[in-house]
Amino acid sequence: MKVLCILYDDPTDGMPSKYALDSIPKLEKYPDGMSLPSPKSIDFNPGDLLGCVSGELGLRKFLEDQGHTLVVTSDKDGDGCKAEIELEDADIVISQPFFPFYLTRKRIESAKNLKMAVTAGIGSDHVDLQAAIDNKIDVVEVTFCNSRSVAEHIVMMILSLVRDYHNQHRIVNEGGWNIADAVKRSYDVEGMHIGTVAAGRIGLDALRKMKPFDVHLHYFDRHRLPESVEQELNLTFHESVESLVGVCDVVTINCPLHPETEHLFDDALISKMKRGAYIVNTARGKICDKDAIARACESGQLSGYAGDVWFPQPAPNDHVWRSMPNHGMTPHTSGTSLSAQARYAAGVREILECFFSGESIRDEYLIVKDGDLAGMGAHSYSKGTATDGSEEAEKYKK
Ligand code: NAD
């Protein structure tokens, strides 16, 4: 079979010959008891860079030993890009949300042999899920692999926005020492109202991680958490997103991107937020209207916006979030730390082992199966597509 894998570019100065750490911690299981990815074996060193082209997710030996073909490329945007050409006779396509190969309806329909799209990570909105349903292409992801990595990033960003870290760091880099400039927008998080839109694996972990800061915790989700969890964390549940944003100083967005959540944070919803609130969005860029966010950062309706997700990706060089005031954006990195890469590379290997041997793939990894939403897809997504406009990724110039 032919496996097409789209990965981000290698480091500009080549693959590391040595890493910052000699090893990464070994985790036993996820907090809800779900087991970590469990392939029969792996051919990579956990802690190495696996998500870039030369890292190949550690898959080449495994695939070629079994007589399969692996094609790896980062050329993924624009008509006639290498990924689009290679897709035409590929059986399996693997892509990471950080550097998504947008599987639009046109591309899915051009891929006559395609059976499965694997997300090396979490979040399969880069696949036109309706087209996958219609064409009976299975879509799977490595549920939980980087959820806690993202929750750590959320905590970092809440603290750095509220305390105004980015401004203070810039002052130091520029050789300055004006303390008043450095603190005139700096507050403590303690006592604030922090709310998450969605309390799935990431949202709930972010709430748990924020609890020791002595804040008031809120959430909105289409599935209510067990009462025991609400009590343990002293959570306030909101029946609507409007109710949540009306009382929170910090709102973190943790739902998947699908037709129900696309452009949820528009001018109308942002105007219902407390003046001067902060948004941390590590879910998907398109859940926010990018121009409405920039306007709110300019006017002061938002005191800051941080996250690592954009639409499309790579973000065009002139994307307004690169230059708006008081932002703490990074490229899409929170779920692709070296620690997370080891987990999702192992998860992809587990999925492929199951696929080739005819064993069933874990239910919790499924998004689309046999022409319908399934597993986590049925729990967390709605039918339809959110890939419209993704062709703009071609505008990014290295
Ligand atoms: P999850 O499936 O455990 O949780 C998703 C939650 O969203 C569920 O509780 C679901 O009920 C809720 N939800 C879905 N639609 C909703 C709606 N319309 N209104 C309210 N709640 C809704 O997934 P997770 O592991 O927590 O990941 C969530 C999302 O975070 C992913 O789908 C992905 O988009 C994003 N993510 C980003 C990164 C990153 O690197 N930045 C990494 C992993 C995941």
Side-chain angles (χ1 to χ4, degrees), residues 49-66:
L49 192 48
L50 302 166
C52 62
V53 170
S54 295
E56 299 183 323
L57 293 179
L59 290 174
R60 186 167 297 279
K61 182 175 181 312
F62 161 68
L63 289 171
E64 291 185 349
D65 281 357
Q66 296 193 37

Side-chain angles (χ1 to χ4, degrees), residues 19 34 101-102 126 184 231 254 333 335 357 369:
Y19 289 87
M34 180 177 156
F101 178 43
Y102 292 102
H126 60 282
K184 68 185 183 198
Q231 279 169 4
N254 296 301
T333 51
S357 66
K369 173 88 182 135

Side-chain angles (χ1 to χ4, degrees), residues 146-147 150 200-202 221 223 256 258 260 282 308 332 334-335 380:
N146 56 13
S147 300
V150 178
R201 289 172 180 79
I202 297 176
D221 196 302
H223 300 287
H258 55 103
E260 278 175 20
T282 48
D308 65 332
H332 192 164
S334 65
S380 293

Side-chain angles (χ1 to χ4, degrees), residues 98 121-125 141 143-144 146-147 150 197-203 220-223 254-258 260-261 282-284 308-309 332-336 376 379-381:
F98 326 102
I122 304 172
S124 299
D125 51 278
E141 58 185 45
T143 300
F144 230 146
N146 56 13
S147 300
V150 178
V197 177
R201 289 172 180 79
I202 297 176
F220 159 68
D221 196 302
R222 65 183 187 188
H223 300 287
N254 296 301
C255 50
L257 168 63
H258 55 103
E260 278 175 20
T261 60
T282 48
R284 285 295 178 261
D308 65 332
V309 285
H332 192 164
T333 51
S334 65
T336 184
M376 285 316 297
H379 181 89
S380 293
Y381 286 79

Side-chain angles (χ1 to χ4, degrees), residues 71-105:
V71 176
V72 181
T73 182
S74 64
D75 180 20
K76 70 171 190 72
D77 294 308
D79 285 340
C81 62
K82 180 160 184 203
E84 198 170 88
I85 292 165
E86 296 287 352
L87 179 69
E88 282 174 23
D89 62 349
D91 297 278
I92 296 172
V93 61
I94 303 171
S95 168
Q96 299 171 113
F98 326 102
F99 193 70
F101 178 43
Y102 292 102
L103 271 186
T104 56
R105 179 173 289 275

Side-chain angles (χ1 to χ4, degrees), residues 339-380:
S339 323
Q341 288 178 39
R343 287 189 294 275
Y344 67 71
V348 171
R349 169 87 177 240
E350 177 191 327
I351 288 166
L352 294 177
E353 285 178 0
C354 289
F355 182 84
F356 292 134
S357 66
E359 286 166 54
S360 45
I361 294 169
R362 302 184 196 204
D363 206 40
E364 59 261 39
Y365 286 176
L366 305 179
I367 302 298
V368 172
K369 173 88 182 135
D370 299 332
D372 206 353
L373 292 174
M376 285 316 297
H379 181 89
S380 293

